[in-house]
Amino acid sequence: MAVWDDVVGQDRVTEQLAAAARDADALVTAEHAGAGHGAGRPEPEPSAADRGASQMTHAWLFTGPPGSGRSTAARAFAAALQCVSPDRALGGAPGCGFCDGCHTTLVGTHADVEIVRTDLLSIGVKETRDLVRRSSLSPAGGRWQVIVLEDADRLTEGAGNVLLKAVEEPAPRTVWLLCAPSVEDVLPTIRSRCRHLSLRTPPVGAVADVLVRRDGIEPEAADRAARATQGHIGRARRLATDERARARRAAVLKLPLRVDDIGGCLKAAQELIDAAGEDAKQVAEEVDTKETEELRAALGAAAGTGGRLPRGTAGAMKELQDKQKRRSTRTQRDSLDLALVDLTGFYRDVLALQMGASVPLANDEVRDSIHRIATASTPERTLRRIEAVIACREALDRNVAPLLAVEAMTAALRAG
């Protein structure tokens, strides 16, 4: 299976990446062949025409809506850059998916591929300097030094300025692959130095197909999950495999029928916040305890949770606790945002019925509720409700207290 098979519904993007991977392979192969002659003669610089004809460049920016597969495409490209399949010598395209270079890149163990993602709210200067330092190194054993930054939109302004220098003057065999929802989420000075690839939301049928083919999900369940998430690959997989996620979503889809009075609005808002907090708590239980015990052991604390920390190590423990708190905040926000996306999808279906649009409903399992809301209101009121959900998401991005933002939204949903 080629590395591009998991890049769903992005034929134009994969064609460009495959062409760049072929050119990158030719560049490294020619360099190795020149070094193999051993005469110590420097290789001639490629002409301007040759450089212009190459599809390869040192920095790429992958953008697209959530679920479009930005990071999947970046990882596939990284694997193709590291491909060492012998078929390349016979004209085969890099990115076979089976060789050591492809396999170790895709599973995250390749020595020359750094996959950077964060479960915090931002990526700071310190972490970015570490990446820049790594990017200056020559490949240890692979063909390229590849840095995949999956959350480039979370770089602080200072971190972006640190990254700019590395993108402006990259090492000869270093490639930066940045992922962000849109070009506006990346500093103009950085995005102007990257080759931009825009991904689209994959078709529902393509997402269902990959769930069946890759994850072994039953076709009916895969189709239902793909339709419910409107082409968001990650959410569709979670919805098809996680009973808890399905229960969460079912509760969200009942909310429009529960905001008939102020009491119902406030109760529904509190339940949304509580559900998001429960998700954050479950993540903390799974990760925080293990991290804390590992750090205590590394610092030489006595065995057991009650063991005393050695003198002078309290700062390291405090830093870990701060990190865990920031991660909990992001987990809660992400869970809450997911609920708001589902709520937007509900009102999208309401509007589709009201306008007589010939499109399938994303939430067909609650068709009765959708029909009830549609007949009891107007398209104008539905649009105002969608705007209220969007306004809530924007308020959360501005760090408005979650409960206040959600209560304002539920009150607006009631008013229409």
Side-chain angles (χ1 to χ4, degrees), residues 121 255 265-278 280 325-326 328-337 339-340 388-389 391-411:
L121 296 174
L255 186 145
C265 293
L266 298 180
K267 184 177 180 181
Q270 186 64 62
E271 288 178 0
L272 276 182
I273 297 298
D274 290 344
E278 183 63 27
K325 184 177 180 180
R326 294 194 300 272
S328 177
T329 299
R330 177 178 174 183
T331 302
Q332 184 175 7
R333 285 189 185 179
D334 287 350
S335 178
L336 189 54
D337 189 68
L340 298 179
V389 180
C392 181
R393 297 181 70 189
E394 292 174 346
L396 293 171
D397 282 341
R398 297 193 304 269
N399 293 322
V400 173
L403 183 57
L404 290 178
V406 177
E407 285 179 345
M409 179 196 71
T410 54

Side-chain angles (χ1 to χ4, degrees), residues 9 23 41 66 116 137 160 163 166 185 192 202 221 242 270 276 279 282 314 322 333 361 386 404:
D23 287 349
R41 297 191 302 268
V116 183
L137 302 175
L163 177 63
D185 293 312
S192 66
D242 187 347
Q270 186 64 62
D279 282 346
Q282 289 175 348
D322 290 343
R333 285 189 185 179
L361 298 183
I386 292 174
L404 290 178

Side-chain angles (χ1 to χ4, degrees), residues 104-238:
T104 54
T105 298
L106 293 176
V107 300
T109 59
H110 197 292
D112 293 316
V113 179
E114 181 78 5
I115 308 291
V116 183
R117 72 180 70 84
T118 183
D119 49 14
L120 305 179
L121 296 174
S122 62
I123 300 174
V125 171
K126 180 178 180 295
E127 301 97 309
T128 308
R129 282 180 178 152
D130 291 340
L131 287 178
V132 170
R133 191 176 301 113
R134 169 167 180 153
S135 73
S136 65
L137 302 175
S138 297
R143 301 170 71 78
W144 297 87
Q145 180 78 251
V146 184
I147 313 291
V148 181
L149 187 53
E150 293 188 355
D151 299 296
D153 54 309
R154 296 187 182 271
L155 288 167
T156 64
E157 184 175 354
N161 290 329
V162 170
L163 177 63
L164 175 60
K165 186 68 173 176
V167 174
E168 279 184 323
E169 301 176 5
R173 296 262 294 281
T174 293
V175 183
W176 289 90
L177 308 180
L178 312 181
C179 305
S182 70
V183 292
E184 287 77 17
D185 293 312
V186 180
L187 285 177
T189 48
I190 292 179
R191 68 188 188 227
S192 66
R193 290 162 175 79
C194 298
R195 182 167 297 170
H196 178 216
L197 293 177
S198 178
L199 283 72
R200 65 189 182 105
T201 299
V204 168
V207 174
D209 177 69
V210 79
L211 293 179
V212 172
R213 173 172 50 83
R214 185 177 59 189
D215 301 299
I217 296 169
E218 291 296 324
E220 183 178 347
D223 181 70
R224 186 166 54 248
R227 188 176 63 253
T229 58
Q230 290 297 285
H232 191 300
I233 303 170
R235 287 180 55 212
R237 183 180 299 111
R238 183 184 177 195

Side-chain angles (χ1 to χ4, degrees), residues 348-370:
R348 171 261 190 198
D349 285 345
V350 171
L351 187 62
L353 281 186
Q354 290 172 329
M355 301 301 293
S358 58
V359 296
L361 298 183
N363 303 286
D364 192 61
E365 69 273 24
V366 291
R367 176 179 287 272
D368 290 344
S369 298
I370 293 170

